[in-house]
Amino acid sequence: MKALITGFTGQVGSQMADFLLENTDYEVIGMMRWQEPMDNVYHLSDRINKNDRISVFYADLNDYSSIQKLFETHRPDVIFHLAAQSFPKTSFDIPIETLQTNIVGTANILENIRALKQKDGYDPVVHVCSSSEVYGRAKVGVKLNEETPFHGASPYSISKIGTDYLGRFYGEAYGIKTYVTRMGTHSGPRRSDVFFESTVAKQIALIEAGLQEPIIKVGNLSSVRTFQDCRDAIRAYYLLSVESAKGNVPCGEAFNIAGEEAFKLPEVIDILLGFSKRDDIKIQEDAARLRPIDADYQMFDNTKIKSFINWKPEIPARKMFEDLLNHWRDEIKKGRIPLNR
């Protein structure tokens, strides 16, 4: 079995690679652009160099020919399509690139699979990673299920609505074994610092190291959302791929995957500060971190996914937050001082 991971160098992609290498006998192909940072996959460098069940293929979602070469060369049995411009706040600055990468980039992958399926019956399982952000500005008090209407609240969420529809369309129209996931807020080690809980943890680690004054800068703190560990979500991704290969998941089916512990954002700050010995850290709103519009209420119904696979979140949120803070402490000890953003 060959598994392709797009977005291999990201938090989710790199941990997906770790999971498959540890829990399956799959060969893993990590797709990345040539200039991407390798921070999250340095620990796999020796295995990549030795071609020990993992290799790298350089391609770009926006370059159809490179995607075509990838599929014609390797023909993976399962594709975990995780690559995206995945930062909601950044999408306000680069809306066109976000839409291009996430919608057209996904279409480039699915079109290549469709063409090969029509040509000679190529029939892989395709995980299309959407996002809980497709629900956007949800009504307070409403638990989101897979039938909840979409309400885009950023160029990113709109791009993921397009991605979501593409996953369903190619499944229903062409019989490609796609399934779509809408993952709620997920975190833990390797989480990018453009996301709320990670930038808070990073700033605490910088303050502890004497590299930042004892002030944490934040944006909107009015959100309420569930949190889950990325490693729990990856188990769900894998289990869905297995059931899809067996024909137990209808083509194009969508699933919420979310944590079952909910927090107001000030509570998240308190939890992270509780892991620090510093007692002089203050919180300050930073206008540059505010979005024009926010998806500020996200509570989910996991009933559907539990009817397809034997899964539930297992890593407690507090453990996830502690691991995230320790990740940033380790990065700073290694001399990898992150930018202020």
PDB file of all heavy atoms in Angstrom, residues 110-124:
ATOM      1  N   LEU A 110      -8.089  16.067  -7.838  1.00  0.00           N
ATOM      2  CA  LEU A 110      -9.238  15.230  -8.167  1.00  0.00           C
ATOM      3  C   LEU A 110      -9.385  15.027  -9.680  1.00  0.00           C
ATOM      4  O   LEU A 110      -9.809  13.947 -10.129  1.00  0.00           O
ATOM      5  CB  LEU A 110     -10.506  15.846  -7.573  1.00  0.00           C
ATOM      6  CG  LEU A 110     -10.551  15.828  -6.041  1.00  0.00           C
ATOM      7  CD1 LEU A 110     -11.711  16.673  -5.526  1.00  0.00           C
ATOM      8  CD2 LEU A 110     -10.664  14.402  -5.517  1.00  0.00           C
ATOM      9  N   GLU A 111      -9.025  16.020 -10.473  1.00  0.00           N
ATOM     10  CA  GLU A 111      -9.087  15.868 -11.929  1.00  0.00           C
ATOM     11  C   GLU A 111      -8.082  14.830 -12.423  1.00  0.00           C
ATOM     12  O   GLU A 111      -8.370  14.030 -13.326  1.00  0.00           O
ATOM     13  CB  GLU A 111      -8.835  17.206 -12.613  1.00  0.00           C
ATOM     14  CG  GLU A 111     -10.084  17.969 -12.968  1.00  0.00           C
ATOM     15  CD  GLU A 111     -10.954  17.215 -13.953  1.00  0.00           C
ATOM     16  OE1 GLU A 111     -10.556  17.057 -15.129  1.00  0.00           O
ATOM     17  OE2 GLU A 111     -12.046  16.757 -13.563  1.00  0.00           O
ATOM     18  N   ASN A 112      -6.889  14.818 -11.841  1.00  0.00           N
ATOM     19  CA  ASN A 112      -5.902  13.804 -12.218  1.00  0.00           C
ATOM     20  C   ASN A 112      -6.397  12.410 -11.888  1.00  0.00           C
ATOM     21  O   ASN A 112      -6.222  11.469 -12.667  1.00  0.00           O
ATOM     22  CB  ASN A 112      -4.568  14.092 -11.519  1.00  0.00           C
ATOM     23  CG  ASN A 112      -3.653  14.976 -12.338  1.00  0.00           C
ATOM     24  OD1 ASN A 112      -3.100  14.545 -13.340  1.00  0.00           O
ATOM     25  ND2 ASN A 112      -3.508  16.225 -11.924  1.00  0.00           N
ATOM     26  N   ILE A 113      -7.011  12.267 -10.722  1.00  0.00           N
ATOM     27  CA  ILE A 113      -7.546  10.954 -10.339  1.00  0.00           C
ATOM     28  C   ILE A 113      -8.691  10.557 -11.262  1.00  0.00           C
ATOM     29  O   ILE A 113      -8.772   9.406 -11.718  1.00  0.00           O
ATOM     30  CB  ILE A 113      -8.000  10.990  -8.864  1.00  0.00           C
ATOM     31  CG1 ILE A 113      -6.785  11.186  -7.950  1.00  0.00           C
ATOM     32  CG2 ILE A 113      -8.757   9.710  -8.492  1.00  0.00           C
ATOM     33  CD1 ILE A 113      -7.139  11.523  -6.519  1.00  0.00           C
ATOM     34  N   ARG A 114      -9.576  11.509 -11.563  1.00  0.00           N
ATOM     35  CA  ARG A 114     -10.692  11.212 -12.465  1.00  0.00           C
ATOM     36  C   ARG A 114     -10.191  10.741 -13.828  1.00  0.00           C
ATOM     37  O   ARG A 114     -10.696   9.756 -14.404  1.00  0.00           O
ATOM     38  CB  ARG A 114     -11.568  12.448 -12.641  1.00  0.00           C
ATOM     39  CG  ARG A 114     -12.785  12.214 -13.536  1.00  0.00           C
ATOM     40  CD  ARG A 114     -13.364  13.512 -14.062  1.00  0.00           C
ATOM     41  NE  ARG A 114     -12.429  14.249 -14.891  1.00  0.00           N
ATOM     42  CZ  ARG A 114     -12.132  13.947 -16.161  1.00  0.00           C
ATOM     43  NH1 ARG A 114     -12.704  12.892 -16.747  1.00  0.00           N
ATOM     44  NH2 ARG A 114     -11.255  14.672 -16.839  1.00  0.00           N
ATOM     45  N   ALA A 115      -9.180  11.431 -14.364  1.00  0.00           N
ATOM     46  CA  ALA A 115      -8.655  11.079 -15.683  1.00  0.00           C
ATOM     47  C   ALA A 115      -8.048   9.682 -15.694  1.00  0.00           C
ATOM     48  O   ALA A 115      -8.266   8.900 -16.628  1.00  0.00           O
ATOM     49  CB  ALA A 115      -7.625  12.124 -16.123  1.00  0.00           C
ATOM     50  N   LEU A 116      -7.288   9.349 -14.640  1.00  0.00           N
ATOM     51  CA  LEU A 116      -6.676   8.027 -14.574  1.00  0.00           C
ATOM     52  C   LEU A 116      -7.723   6.941 -14.332  1.00  0.00           C
ATOM     53  O   LEU A 116      -7.598   5.825 -14.839  1.00  0.00           O
ATOM     54  CB  LEU A 116      -5.608   7.995 -13.477  1.00  0.00           C
ATOM     55  CG  LEU A 116      -4.321   8.766 -13.782  1.00  0.00           C
ATOM     56  CD1 LEU A 116      -3.411   8.797 -12.563  1.00  0.00           C
ATOM     57  CD2 LEU A 116      -3.586   8.149 -14.968  1.00  0.00           C
ATOM     58  N   LYS A 117      -8.741   7.263 -13.552  1.00  0.00           N
ATOM     59  CA  LYS A 117      -9.822   6.301 -13.332  1.00  0.00           C
ATOM     60  C   LYS A 117     -10.529   5.990 -14.652  1.00  0.00           C
ATOM     61  O   LYS A 117     -10.832   4.835 -14.960  1.00  0.00           O
ATOM     62  CB  LYS A 117     -10.815   6.851 -12.307  1.00  0.00           C
ATOM     63  CG  LYS A 117     -11.979   5.913 -11.967  1.00  0.00           C
ATOM     64  CD  LYS A 117     -12.909   6.563 -10.938  1.00  0.00           C
ATOM     65  CE  LYS A 117     -14.125   5.701 -10.667  1.00  0.00           C
ATOM     66  NZ  LYS A 117     -13.805   4.480  -9.910  1.00  0.00           N
ATOM     67  N   GLN A 118     -10.787   7.029 -15.433  1.00  0.00           N
ATOM     68  CA  GLN A 118     -11.444   6.841 -16.733  1.00  0.00           C
ATOM     69  C   GLN A 118     -10.542   6.090 -17.698  1.00  0.00           C
ATOM     70  O   GLN A 118     -11.008   5.266 -18.495  1.00  0.00           O
ATOM     71  CB  GLN A 118     -11.819   8.211 -17.315  1.00  0.00           C
ATOM     72  CG  GLN A 118     -12.608   8.156 -18.609  1.00  0.00           C
ATOM     73  CD  GLN A 118     -12.991   9.535 -19.096  1.00  0.00           C
ATOM     74  OE1 GLN A 118     -12.182  10.468 -19.072  1.00  0.00           O
ATOM     75  NE2 GLN A 118     -14.227   9.687 -19.551  1.00  0.00           N
ATOM     76  N   LYS A 119      -9.240   6.348 -17.617  1.00  0.00           N
ATOM     77  CA  LYS A 119      -8.291   5.745 -18.548  1.00  0.00           C
ATOM     78  C   LYS A 119      -8.076   4.259 -18.286  1.00  0.00           C
ATOM     79  O   LYS A 119      -8.135   3.430 -19.202  1.00  0.00           O
ATOM     80  CB  LYS A 119      -6.956   6.487 -18.464  1.00  0.00           C
ATOM     81  CG  LYS A 119      -5.849   5.919 -19.335  1.00  0.00           C
ATOM     82  CD  LYS A 119      -4.555   6.687 -19.108  1.00  0.00           C
ATOM     83  CE  LYS A 119      -3.400   6.079 -19.900  1.00  0.00           C
ATOM     84  NZ  LYS A 119      -2.114   6.799 -19.623  1.00  0.00           N
ATOM     85  N   ASP A 120      -7.828   3.911 -17.017  1.00  0.00           N
ATOM     86  CA  ASP A 120      -7.475   2.511 -16.754  1.00  0.00           C
ATOM     87  C   ASP A 120      -8.000   1.968 -15.422  1.00  0.00           C
ATOM     88  O   ASP A 120      -7.522   0.955 -14.922  1.00  0.00           O
ATOM     89  CB  ASP A 120      -5.962   2.317 -16.824  1.00  0.00           C
ATOM     90  CG  ASP A 120      -5.192   3.210 -15.857  1.00  0.00           C
ATOM     91  OD1 ASP A 120      -5.785   3.664 -14.861  1.00  0.00           O
ATOM     92  OD2 ASP A 120      -3.996   3.464 -16.101  1.00  0.00           O
ATOM     93  N   GLY A 121      -8.986   2.672 -14.820  1.00  0.00           N
ATOM     94  CA  GLY A 121      -9.620   2.127 -13.621  1.00  0.00           C
ATOM     95  C   GLY A 121      -8.915   2.423 -12.320  1.00  0.00           C
ATOM     96  O   GLY A 121      -9.252   1.833 -11.283  1.00  0.00           O
ATOM     97  N   TYR A 122      -7.949   3.331 -12.334  1.00  0.00           N
ATOM     98  CA  TYR A 122      -7.276   3.728 -11.082  1.00  0.00           C
ATOM     99  C   TYR A 122      -8.327   4.140 -10.056  1.00  0.00           C
ATOM    100  O   TYR A 122      -9.206   4.956 -10.343  1.00  0.00           O
ATOM    101  CB  TYR A 122      -6.316   4.877 -11.370  1.00  0.00           C
ATOM    102  CG  TYR A 122      -5.627   5.477 -10.164  1.00  0.00           C
ATOM    103  CD1 TYR A 122      -4.896   4.682  -9.284  1.00  0.00           C
ATOM    104  CD2 TYR A 122      -5.691   6.852  -9.931  1.00  0.00           C
ATOM    105  CE1 TYR A 122      -4.254   5.245  -8.189  1.00  0.00           C
ATOM    106  CE2 TYR A 122      -5.049   7.425  -8.847  1.00  0.00           C
ATOM    107  CZ  TYR A 122      -4.332   6.611  -7.969  1.00  0.00           C
ATOM    108  OH  TYR A 122      -3.710   7.178  -6.880  1.00  0.00           O
ATOM    109  N   ASP A 123      -8.268   3.571  -8.841  1.00  0.00           N
ATOM    110  CA  ASP A 123      -9.382   3.729  -7.903  1.00  0.00           C
ATOM    111  C   ASP A 123      -8.894   3.874  -6.454  1.00  0.00           C
ATOM    112  O   ASP A 123      -9.130   3.000  -5.619  1.00  0.00           O
ATOM    113  CB  ASP A 123     -10.317   2.517  -8.019  1.00  0.00           C
ATOM    114  CG  ASP A 123     -11.644   2.725  -7.318  1.00  0.00           C
ATOM    115  OD1 ASP A 123     -12.060   3.897  -7.153  1.00  0.00           O
ATOM    116  OD2 ASP A 123     -12.263   1.714  -6.933  1.00  0.00           O
ATOM    117  N   PRO A 124      -8.241   4.981  -6.114  1.00  0.00           N
ATOM    118  CA  PRO A 124      -7.735   5.162  -4.754  1.00  0.00           C
ATOM    119  C   PRO A 124      -8.813   5.682  -3.804  1.00  0.00           C
ATOM    120  O   PRO A 124      -9.881   6.114  -4.226  1.00  0.00           O
ATOM    121  CB  PRO A 124      -6.650   6.220  -4.937  1.00  0.00           C
ATOM    122  CG  PRO A 124      -7.208   7.086  -6.035  1.00  0.00           C
ATOM    123  CD  PRO A 124      -7.914   6.137  -6.976  1.00  0.00           C
TER     124      PRO A 124
END
